[in-house]
Amino acid sequence: MKKIRVTIIMLGLLFSLFGCGDRNTNSVADKSAKESATLHTTKYANKVTDQNAAKIMETLLAEKYGADFSVSGVTQSSRSDIFSKTCYVASATDAMGQKFSVRLYGEDGSITDQYTMILFGEQVEELVTSVLAGKSYITGQNLDFYYEYSAQKWNAQATLEDYLEAEECKVNGTIFIEAIDEEEFVENIYDLVQTFEDEKIPFALSFEGEKHKVFLGNGSNVAAITKDTIRQLL
């Protein structure tokens, strides 16, 4: 059972990291915080070419966020055949010189992007750092923050809580836990997981001790993590 659960979580992460994949169209309760980006994209459906892809990306990003962006390095995804859509991937730069990735889907002319990394990334990472600093049993960590390609239009009214509730980012990596025995290891992990849940932080993490190791992930499509869950996975 342990191997099955871990495999499912890891496959989900790998699927989101490569190629064009599916678009993240999650919604949050505060509809004023973000809007669907697809309202402005239908006019480009089946009109995207290698020659105009960069210009269309710049236009759609400007419409989506009300600011100017430059797009470079456009390539057509080598995995587009797997997802049955033509997808262009590029690097976008805002007026402050901050870079992020953007995707353009040829069939419906819509985009997804990682601009949320610019809008919320620093806040997310500061929150996680603060949580870990408050746990004396943590002896180290090796973390990576992943920001989903979002189809949503995030505006100035959006808060960090809105963004975390949308589950459009995830904390990956390893956290090292100090414990004198298996039960304390379970207790410490459960305490940290509950803090992540309270702060609405999405994660897929390996928790490692001197003698024990367990991989856990949370989210709206994952069953609640209990102490028994942790024990069963050891």
Side-chain angles (χ1 to χ4, degrees):
M1 191 66 181
K2 174 180 177 180
K3 291 183 178 179
I4 293 174
R5 181 188 177 97
V6 172
T7 301
I8 290 172
I9 294 173
M10 291 304 294
L11 284 174
L13 288 174
L14 290 171
F15 188 76
S16 66
L17 286 170
F18 298 101
C20 280
D22 290 333
R23 283 155 275 191
N24 190 328
T25 55
N26 291 338
S27 61
V28 296
D30 183 5
K31 295 298 184 182
S32 65
K34 60 181 184 174
E35 306 167 17
S36 171
T38 59
L39 297 176
H40 309 289
T41 59
T42 55
K43 60 186 177 183
Y44 297 112
N46 297 308
K47 296 180 180 179
V48 182
T49 66
D50 293 351
Q51 289 70 40
N52 66 15
K55 181 62 177 179
I56 291 175
M57 287 179 179
E58 290 174 348
T59 300
L60 293 177
L61 286 170
E63 291 177 356
K64 187 175 179 180
Y65 295 110
D68 292 330
F69 299 87
S70 62
V71 170
S72 61
V74 178
T75 59
Q76 190 169 155
S77 172
S78 61
R79 295 176 63 86
S80 60
D81 57 326
I82 297 177
F83 302 105
S84 300
K85 61 172 73 75
T86 302
C87 176
Y88 294 86
V89 182
S91 174
T93 307
D94 67 9
M96 301 296 292
Q98 301 174 109
K99 296 183 181 295
F100 61 97
S101 295
V102 59
R103 294 168 175 169
L104 171 62
Y105 303 90
E107 276 73 4
D108 57 11
S110 67
I111 60 169
T112 61
D113 58 80
Q114 290 181 310
Y115 193 49
T116 52
M117 178 178 65
I118 308 300
L119 298 175
F120 300 104
E122 185 175 349
Q123 297 178 66
V124 171
E125 293 171 30
E126 286 179 352
L127 175 60
V128 173
T129 299
S130 176
V131 167
L132 298 182
K135 305 298 184 181
S136 60
Y137 50 76
I138 294 178
T139 59
Q141 62 268 340
N142 182 13
L143 302 180
D144 175 61
F145 295 82
Y146 179 71
Y147 300 90
E148 296 281 357
Y149 284 82
S150 177
Q152 305 300 333
K153 176 181 178 181
W154 292 90
N155 60 40
Q157 297 177 0
T159 65
L160 176 60
E161 184 177 4
D162 292 327
Y163 181 60
L164 293 174
E165 286 182 343
E167 298 180 8
E168 290 193 355
C169 67
K170 192 175 292 290
V171 184
N172 303 317
T174 302
I175 294 178
F176 299 95
I177 304 290
E178 184 177 45
I180 60 175
D181 55 26
E182 180 177 307
E183 189 56 31
E184 185 175 57
F185 184 67
V186 171
E187 291 287 345
N188 289 345
I189 293 175
Y190 183 73
D191 174 71
L192 182 55
V193 166
Q194 289 305 300
T195 304
F196 277 150
E197 294 283 3
D198 291 343
E199 297 290 349
K200 298 178 172 59
I201 300 172
F203 67 87
L205 291 165
S206 175
F207 300 90
E208 296 188 13
E210 185 176 345
K211 297 181 179 180
H212 305 93
K213 179 178 179 179
V214 64
F215 186 93
L216 296 168
N218 68 346
S220 58
N221 61 340
V222 179
I225 297 171
T226 65
K227 293 180 185 180
D228 284 340
T229 301
I230 300 170
R231 291 189 188 98
Q232 290 168 10
L233 293 173
L234 289 176

